[in-house]
Amino acid sequence: MQELEEQIAHLMRTVDDLSDIVARQEGEIAILTRRVQLLMEREGAREAQGGGGIVVGDERPPHY
């Protein structure tokens, strides 16, 4: 019986640890999602202003 109680205690601690990890990762994902959204908005604004110069193939950028 004591062995089962020890196993249950170990499993409960593992579940708590995993719960903490998942909660932390949820926060990190939210932050990263917001950063990606801001970058997408910034890039969209830059393209709308006509400053989105994309180099295609062997074409040299204008500063050469």
Side-chain angles (χ1 to χ4, degrees):
M1 187 68 156
Q2 183 176 354
E3 185 179 330
L4 289 175
E5 290 176 352
E6 289 174 3
Q7 288 179 351
I8 289 172
H10 175 70
L11 291 173
M12 289 177 65
R13 181 174 179 201
T14 301
V15 168
D16 289 341
D17 290 346
L18 290 173
S19 179
D20 292 342
I21 290 169
V22 168
R24 189 186 75 235
Q25 287 178 342
E26 181 182 13
E28 290 174 358
I29 288 170
I31 290 169
L32 292 172
T33 300
R34 180 68 181 143
R35 286 181 181 174
V36 168
Q37 182 181 4
L38 290 172
L39 288 172
M40 296 287 287
E41 290 172 3
R42 186 183 302 169
E43 182 62 22
R46 190 173 72 150
E47 285 182 9
Q49 292 175 354
I54 298 174
V55 178
V56 180
D58 293 334
E59 183 180 332
R60 286 187 166 193
H63 62 277
Y64 275 96

